[in-house]
Structure formats: structure tokens, C-alpha cells
Amino acid sequence: MTERVDPSVRLSDRALLDRDDVVRCLEERARAFQGWRPFLYIERMWAQRYNVSGHYRHHYDWTGNGQGADRVSTFMVYLKADCTGGGTNFPRLRKPLDKKWCRFIECDAEPQEEGVTFKPIKGNAIFWENLRADGTGYPETWHAALPVRSGEKVGLNIWSWYQPPIRKRKSKTKTG
């Protein structure tokens, strides 16, 4: 199956990862990080490669379809970050005032983007909750992969879902 994506919305190469031992280990670590939450399912992982001009316009990772099935949380892991640009921008978040955050976020005097932009740094990850306890989405999670100006960025998406156990019906038996 070929996925057609509008390059004005997203321009990247994507690869669905096989569920080998390394990927299963990553799934388990992502689940353990969120250990307080029962019945957590980790979606199949995708790697994304962004070359020059690669981007993904602002979007949510949750659908808000009200059907109860939705992405609970997201990890954005930077596997390669030999680039300029390419940060992950959250325009609805307030930038921290403490300058120690400038190691991880863009702190230029004249920001080109509103909100907070996380720098792509190899080995770093961003984690966020997509849904409130009542199942509605956090509007603050509106985010984008900003265009890569030079070089290459590779990221890994790890999405989790709440998947309650399926209850088996008790069979009725007649006794005589």
C-alpha cells in the first residue's frame, strides 16, 4: 500500500520498523516510562527522515474522534540531527524563562516561531501527553516539524494507546 501525502503538509521519508528484539525493547522502555498507566499499547514505530526542506506542518497526534481509541502519548526521539533548522515547534506552549532550557530549546532574541521549539539533538527525546483523563485532547500539543535548512534529521515516533482488556462473555449453560 502506498501512502500519498501532500508535500505541502509533510515532506519526509518514512519507514515502518520491524518488531525485532531492539524495537520490542524500545516498546517496553516506553511502556515502563509510563508505568502507572495500565493497559498501555505501543503502536508500531515509524522512523522519519527529513532532508533539506523536510517538514511536517502543525498537527495533533490525537484524532479527537470521540470513539475512545486515540493516541494517549507521544515520544519524539531524535536518532540523527546533523542539520540546521528542523526543530519541533509547539506554538501554544509558553517558553520557559530560565536560560538553562536554552540547551534544549531555541532561545534566539527574535524567535521565528511562536511558543517553544525543541532543538533536534541526537539521543534526546520529547515526551508529551495527548489526552486529558476525560479523553479530550490537549490543544497545547499542536506541533510541527519545522523545515530542515541544511543537512538531515532522523526521528522515531513512539505512540501509545489505552487498550483495555477484552472481557469474555460468560456462557449460559442449562442444567437439567
Side-chain angles (χ1 to χ4, degrees):
M1 172 170 53
T2 303
E3 179 186 28
R4 297 216 30 119
V5 176
D6 180 347
S8 70
V9 174
R10 181 175 64 209
L11 182 59
S12 67
D13 299 317
R14 299 176 65 207
L16 183 63
L17 302 183
D18 291 331
R19 286 184 117 170
D20 62 13
D21 290 341
V22 172
V23 169
R24 289 183 189 279
C25 178
L26 289 171
E27 289 174 347
E28 194 52 43
R29 290 183 73 182
R31 219 180 339 273
F33 181 84
Q34 303 172 75
W36 59 269
R37 179 177 282 137
F39 312 120
L40 196 69
Y41 168 76
I42 304 298
E43 183 177 332
R44 294 277 309 269
M45 291 185 203
W46 287 88
Q48 305 269 345
R49 181 177 60 198
Y50 297 89
N51 294 312
V52 174
S53 299
H55 67 277
Y56 191 179
R57 287 202 346 213
H58 286 94
H59 63 282
Y60 291 112
D61 286 349
W62 48 273
T63 62
N65 64 13
Q67 304 299 313
D70 217 335
R71 290 178 176 152
V72 171
S73 64
T74 299
F75 287 90
M76 174 60 216
V77 183
Y78 298 109
L79 301 177
K80 183 176 183 180
D82 296 329
C83 62
T84 59
T88 304
N89 175 253
F90 291 81
R92 296 178 178 164
L93 291 181
R94 250 187 298 184
K95 188 180 295 184
L97 297 176
D98 192 331
K99 293 295 181 190
K100 71 180 179 185
W101 284 99
C102 295
R103 291 177 39 210
F104 307 106
I105 65 172
E106 297 293 342
C107 292
D108 296 336
E110 295 198 30
Q112 295 180 350
E113 297 288 332
E114 292 183 38
V116 176
T117 299
F118 289 87
K119 297 175 182 179
I121 300 170
K122 180 181 176 179
N124 280 8
I126 307 167
F127 171 81
W128 64 91
E129 299 271 334
N130 290 306
L131 304 175
R132 295 181 175 100
D134 67 2
T136 60
Y138 284 110
E140 298 88 349
T141 63
W142 182 252
H143 66 285
L146 298 179
V148 171
R149 293 190 304 271
S150 68
E152 178 184 59
K153 174 180 83 171
V154 177
L156 175 67
N157 298 118
I158 305 174
W159 293 298
S160 62
W161 296 69
Y162 171 71
Q163 190 171 35
I166 298 170
R167 293 185 179 188
K168 295 183 179 182
R169 292 184 189 177
K170 291 183 181 179
S171 60
K172 294 180 181 181
T173 57
K174 293 185 177 183
T175 55

